[in-house]
């Protein structure tokens, strides 16, 4: 059974940091490019970041560039998102997803991803 399980969300003050994790199982994680997307209340999905299958190339939305860092540990089948200098507008449910187009680090339509996690809530508030 394929699973992507996000963790690490929570409540943090503006300017604070969080590290999200996405644990993968049931597929060959090292062969898949991975992304983080987010969805704020009442808004559509926003692509946040992507990393290729080998972890050697990454890409970021302008809204998070310089504050967020995506990484992966293929030995642990885990994807990460380090989020620093958090702002209230970063509040959202964060999802990870996988595509078998392992070299891809640009956004795809939602249907372009093979597997999705269930999401983890991030709330940035004082």
């Amino acid at each position: 059974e394929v699973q992507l399980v996000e963790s690490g969300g929570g409540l943090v003050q503006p300017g604070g940091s969080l590290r999200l994790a996405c644990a993968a199982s049931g597929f060959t994680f090292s062969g898949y490019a991975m992304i983080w997307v987010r969805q704020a209340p009442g808004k559509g999905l926003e692509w946040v970041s992507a990393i290729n299958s080998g972890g050697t190339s990454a890409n970021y939305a302008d809204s998070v560039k310089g504050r967020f860092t995506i990484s992966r540990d293929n030995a642990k089948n885990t994807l990460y998102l380090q989020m620093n200098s958090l702002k209230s507008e970063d509040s959202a449910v964060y999802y990870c997803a996988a595509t078998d187009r392992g070299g891809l680090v640009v956004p795809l339509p939602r249907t372009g991803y093979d597997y999705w996690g269930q999401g983890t809530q991030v709330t940035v508030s004082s």
Side-chain angles (χ1 to χ4, degrees), residues 8-57:
L11 174 64
V12 63
Q13 292 186 342
S17 297
L18 280 176
R19 189 193 196 199
L20 305 184
C22 169
S25 60
F27 66 102
T28 307
F29 179 74
S30 61
Y32 284 68
M34 299 294 297
I35 66 163
W36 288 99
V37 299
R38 64 188 181 185
Q39 187 167 27
K43 296 187 177 181
L45 282 176
E46 178 188 11
W47 178 88
V48 172
S49 184
I51 189 167
N52 67 349
S53 58
T56 58
S57 181

Side-chain angles (χ1 to χ4, degrees), residues 79-100:
L79 172 73
Y80 301 100
L81 186 68
Q82 178 67 44
M83 306 187 295
N84 299 328
S85 303
L86 283 161
K87 306 175 182 179
S88 57
E89 51 263 45
D90 295 318
S91 296
V93 178
Y94 283 71
Y95 300 89
C96 61
T99 173
D100 63 0

